[in-house]
């Protein structure tokens, strides 16, 4: 390798629960030697533009610079009179999108995500989010942010709120809600990197840099592409142009959130490749894996239900474990500290309903728009089930990092 890599980077690619069948179907291979080296080296790489801006914000005083940042985020850098050069440089960069950006594809990708309804979010929660605890290097960062103090429902609700902002109608347009939420998340990532890396018990030789490029690539594609990968076996059948639009949306969101070009997908197949390769590099369960996974598996027992909370909580727990077990497989479930097998009753039960809904959306006039509207209502209802009438505030589950900032 061209430079030392953290010890957490394995000598060879590891297996990836749930993704191998899709990888074989798409003809994906293991990373080349060059790609594998890049994945290891990227465990040491953060987000230089935002990290530099945050360094400047601290030097000049957060009480003065944070309001300027928030003003530029809400109204554009032109709204900040005599903006300091570091702030202007950053926002000029993000306010001038790359030449490859296709706004029609972005808006189509937003709509396709909404069409996935609650089942798409279940895949994100039960496969991407829960399965993500197999990446113990990322867990090391998470535990040190204080995120666990808020509980798994609150942390996932914040991630879900970000995804809903990103995929709202026009959410990624200039100064749109998704645009602003994404830049806000990027700022929080920089705060966490700075805060956690300075902790005396942070072992950079072993774990690399907190919220590094490899971890960010896996998280990005896992959040916005994995729901499509998992929803297809559950009867939701997107068209090729839908998948292409979803990948393009993911590419722009990744560009905006600070992911480097080599980890930005150029199409759906490439998105699955990035997810497959990055998970091979970061899937290394340890004692933190069940520490985080078991409370999340039990979390449905305490969600906010309108009636029969005890019965509905037990049903929801079984439902979400059914999804996790189906897609992650028995070995991963054991590593998560959960029952190795749960009958795949929920995914199988959803196939007919989702298939019919997908077909009707394609053949009926206005069907796509109605499906997107119906899907978004279901997604918002799921968020309400998670946290009740409270508002999901992005970044609130990392209080220690925010207080340090």
């Amino acid at each position: 390798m061209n430079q030392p890599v953290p010890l957490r980077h394995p000598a060879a690619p590891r297996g990836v629960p749930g993704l191998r069948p899709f990888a074989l179907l798409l003809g994906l291979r293991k990373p080349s030697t060059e790609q594998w080296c890049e994945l290891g080296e990227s465990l040491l790489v953060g987000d230089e533009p935002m990290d530099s801006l945050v360094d400047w914000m601290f030097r000049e005083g957060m009480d003065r610079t944070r309001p300027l940042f928030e003003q530029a985020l809400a109204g554009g850098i032109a709204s900040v009179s005599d903006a300091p050069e570091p702030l202007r440089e950053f926002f000029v960069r993000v306010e001038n999108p790359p030449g490859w950006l296709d706004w029609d594809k972005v808006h189509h990708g937003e709509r396709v995500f909404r069409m996935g309804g609650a089942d798409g979010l279940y895949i994100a929660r039960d496969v991407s989010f829960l399965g993500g605890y197999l990446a113990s290097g990322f867990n090391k960062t998470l535990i040190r942010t204080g995120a666990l103090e808020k509980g798994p429902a609150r942390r996932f609700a914040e991630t879900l709120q970000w995804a809903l902002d990103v995929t709202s109608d026009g959410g990624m347009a200039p100064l749109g809600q998704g645009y602003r939420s994404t830049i806000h998340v990027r700022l929080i990532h920089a705060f966490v990197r700075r805060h956690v890396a300075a902790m005396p018990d942070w072992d950079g030789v072993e774990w690399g840099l907190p919220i590094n490029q490899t971890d960010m690539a896996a998280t990005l594609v896992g959040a916005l592409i994995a729901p499509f990968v998992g929803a297809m076996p559950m009867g939701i059948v997107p068209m090729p142009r839908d998948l292409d639009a979803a990948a393009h949306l993911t590419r722009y969101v990744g560009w905006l959130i600070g992911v480097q070009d080599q980890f930005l997908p150029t199409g759906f197949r490439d998105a699955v490749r990035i997810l497959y390769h990055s998970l091979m590099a970061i899937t290394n369960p340890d004692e933190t894996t069940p520490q985080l996974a078991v409370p999340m598996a039990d979390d449905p027992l305490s969600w906010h239900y309108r009636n029969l909370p005890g019965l509905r909580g037990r049903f929801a727990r079984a439902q979400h474990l059914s999804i996790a077990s189906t897609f992650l497989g028995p070995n991963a479930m054991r590593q998560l500290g959960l029952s190795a097998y749960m009958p795949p009753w929920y995914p199988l039960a959803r196939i007919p309903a989702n298939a019919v809904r997908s077909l009707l959306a394609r053949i009926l006039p206005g069907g796509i728009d109605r499906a997107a509207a119906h899907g978004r209502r279901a997604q918002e209802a799921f968020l309400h089930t998670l946290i009740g009438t409270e508002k999901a505030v992005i970044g609130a589950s990392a209080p220690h990092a925010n207080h340090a900032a």
Side-chain angles (χ1 to χ4, degrees):
M1 292 187 177
N2 296 328
Q3 63 184 60
V5 298
L7 297 178
R8 64 180 274 204
H9 187 59
R14 295 188 174 103
V16 179
L19 262 185
R20 181 170 172 77
F22 294 98
L24 293 175
L25 183 64
L26 293 172
L28 298 176
R29 299 181 178 180
K30 292 182 179 181
S32 66
T33 301
E34 181 180 356
Q35 289 170 327
W36 190 245
C37 290
E38 186 173 59
L39 286 165
E41 292 166 1
S42 294
L43 292 168
L44 295 166
V45 180
D47 172 10
E48 193 279 330
M50 181 58 88
D51 291 339
S52 294
L53 179 63
V54 166
D55 287 344
W56 168 80
M57 292 171 71
F58 271 98
R59 287 196 305 271
E60 296 297 317
M62 196 62 66
D63 57 340
R64 184 179 78 85
T65 57
R66 183 67 182 268
L68 295 177
F69 180 93
E70 297 298 342
Q71 182 179 344
L73 183 58
I77 191 62
S79 70
V80 182
S81 300
D82 299 321
E85 186 55 32
L87 189 72
R88 178 178 300 280
E89 180 181 351
F90 176 82
F91 275 97
V92 165
R93 178 196 297 259
V94 299
E95 289 178 9
N96 288 275
W100 47 256
L101 185 64
D102 184 327
W103 283 113
D104 288 338
K105 286 186 177 182
V106 168
H107 297 323
H108 184 55
E110 294 167 351
R111 184 170 61 172
V112 169
F113 191 95
R114 298 195 298 273
M115 288 175 63
D119 281 341
L121 299 186
Y122 296 162
I123 294 294
R125 178 192 182 274
D126 305 329
V127 182
S128 298
F129 212 77
L130 182 64
Y133 291 140
L134 294 167
S136 62
F138 186 77
N139 297 347
K140 300 291 193 295
T141 299
L142 181 61
I143 289 170
R144 286 163 176 78
T145 64
L148 302 185
E149 298 171 12
K150 297 289 185 177
R154 172 62 58 180
R155 179 174 172 252
F156 180 69
E158 292 176 30
T159 302
L160 175 53
Q161 184 63 66
W162 166 76
L164 295 185
D165 290 346
V166 163
T167 59
S168 60
D169 189 10
M172 291 307 296
L175 303 183
Q177 185 59 50
Y179 165 91
R180 286 182 281 119
S181 290
T182 299
I183 297 297
H184 182 60
V185 170
R186 187 173 182 177
L187 177 69
I188 292 170
H189 284 174
F191 284 161
V192 170
R193 262 191 303 274
R194 181 186 177 98
H195 173 63
V196 174
M199 287 182 164
D201 67 342
W202 181 259
D203 188 349
V205 173
E206 176 73 30
W207 303 325
L209 188 69
I211 312 188
N212 54 71
Q213 285 292 319
T214 303
D215 287 338
M216 283 199 292
T219 303
L220 168 74
V221 183
L224 296 180
I225 290 295
F228 293 95
V229 175
M232 285 188 277
M234 290 174 65
I236 299 176
V237 185
M239 302 295 287
R241 61 190 179 89
D242 298 335
L243 298 177
D244 182 58
H248 196 76
L249 171 65
T250 302
R251 187 180 186 190
Y252 179 48
V253 173
W255 179 86
L256 204 60
I257 211 169
V259 174
Q260 293 181 342
D261 287 350
Q262 69 268 27
F263 297 123
L264 298 179
T266 57
F268 182 74
R269 183 180 183 277
D270 192 47
V272 178
R273 178 194 64 79
I274 291 170
L275 182 61
Y276 188 45
H277 287 182
S278 58
L279 289 179
M280 285 180 173
I282 67 175
T283 301
N284 52 343
D286 66 5
E287 71 283 354
T288 66
T289 298
Q291 180 184 349
L292 275 64
V294 172
M296 187 169 187
D298 292 337
D299 197 50
L301 298 172
S302 58
W303 286 351
H304 298 75
Y305 306 101
R306 287 187 231 176
N307 49 49
L308 303 174
L311 179 62
R312 293 184 64 183
R314 290 192 296 273
F315 178 87
R317 183 181 185 277
Q319 168 192 342
H320 289 281
L321 285 175
S322 174
I323 296 170
S325 177
T326 299
F327 290 96
L328 295 176
N331 186 50
M333 293 293 284
R334 280 190 291 267
Q335 290 173 330
L336 291 165
L338 305 172
S339 298
Y341 176 74
M342 172 72 75
W345 61 269
Y346 183 80
L348 292 176
R350 294 300 297 164
I351 291 174
N354 284 332
V356 170
R357 187 161 60 91
S358 296
L359 177 62
L360 293 178
R362 304 294 175 187
I363 64 177
L364 295 179
I368 298 293
D369 290 335
R370 283 194 298 273
H374 179 271
R376 180 43 52 105
R377 288 193 296 271
Q379 292 169 347
E380 291 172 346
F382 181 50
L383 177 60
H384 184 272
T385 299
L386 288 174
I387 57 173
T389 57
E390 296 182 41
K391 183 176 176 60
V393 179
I394 298 171
S397 65
H400 301 334
N402 283 320
H403 291 164

